[in-house]
Amino acid sequence: MSFTGKYELQSQENFEPFMKALGLPDEQIQKGKDIKSISEIVQDGKKFKITVTTGSKVMHNEFTIGEECEVEMLTGEKVKAIFQMEGNNKLIANLKGLKSVTELNGDIITNTMTMGDLTYKRISKRI
């Protein structure tokens, strides 16, 4: 199953408390909470290029499964991470105390981020 495609955010759970816990300023949280971000994923074997556009903010990350890389967090901070593939439709990474699981089911992509006992879930649909 290929992740390649463009996905539009449909819904999200726990956005505000999660972003507060990450340390984003309230003003940025309020601006970002109602914007439907677009994620573009290009998968070439084990290599991934992900571009997330939220309003005027664009975040680019590239990684290869199983190799250490540097990715940009939602806060703009760059951290080292290793992405693993589980089955053929699940990407898992641990980024500085935060666990990210991205699962593709048909045209729906679900990204769940967990930090301590706080979970943030984003559901996007292929467009």
Side-chain angles (χ1 to χ4, degrees):
M1 187 178 290
S2 175
F3 281 81
T4 297
K6 256 188 178 175
Y7 303 86
E8 182 179 31
L9 181 66
Q10 299 296 304
S11 65
Q12 51 189 1
E13 297 165 17
N14 280 339
F15 176 79
E16 290 183 61
F18 196 84
M19 295 305 138
K20 273 191 167 102
L22 278 180
L24 284 183
D26 285 345
E27 180 188 308
Q28 204 174 332
I29 293 171
Q30 291 309 313
K31 256 199 269 181
K33 73 175 183 177
D34 296 319
I35 296 174
K36 296 288 186 208
S37 66
I38 303 285
S39 302
E40 189 168 1
I41 302 172
V42 177
Q43 179 183 358
D44 180 11
K46 291 184 172 213
K47 289 186 189 311
F48 283 80
K49 285 183 190 169
I50 300 177
T51 305
V52 180
T53 306
T54 308
S56 61
K57 182 170 171 35
V58 179
M59 211 168 63
H60 295 284
N61 281 316
E62 290 187 32
F63 59 89
T64 301
I65 299 296
E67 293 180 15
E68 188 176 72
C69 63
E70 189 175 77
V71 292
E72 184 181 348
M73 301 268 292
L74 297 165
T75 56
E77 181 184 2
K78 302 236 188 240
V79 297
K80 294 210 180 299
I82 296 175
F83 285 80
Q84 300 295 345
M85 182 83 99
E86 194 175 281
N88 64 352
N89 70 329
K90 201 183 270 190
L91 289 171
I92 300 169
N94 288 298
L95 323 152
K96 200 182 167 193
L98 178 123
K99 182 177 184 180
S100 171
V101 178
T102 303
E103 190 168 359
L104 179 64
N105 287 307
D107 286 338
I108 304 293
I109 203 161
T110 305
N111 178 234
T112 307
M113 288 184 258
T114 309
M115 188 170 54
D117 56 3
L118 196 56
T119 299
Y120 167 49
K121 189 174 187 178
R122 297 167 46 94
I123 298 171
S124 301
K125 187 175 194 304
R126 194 185 298 260
I127 51 174

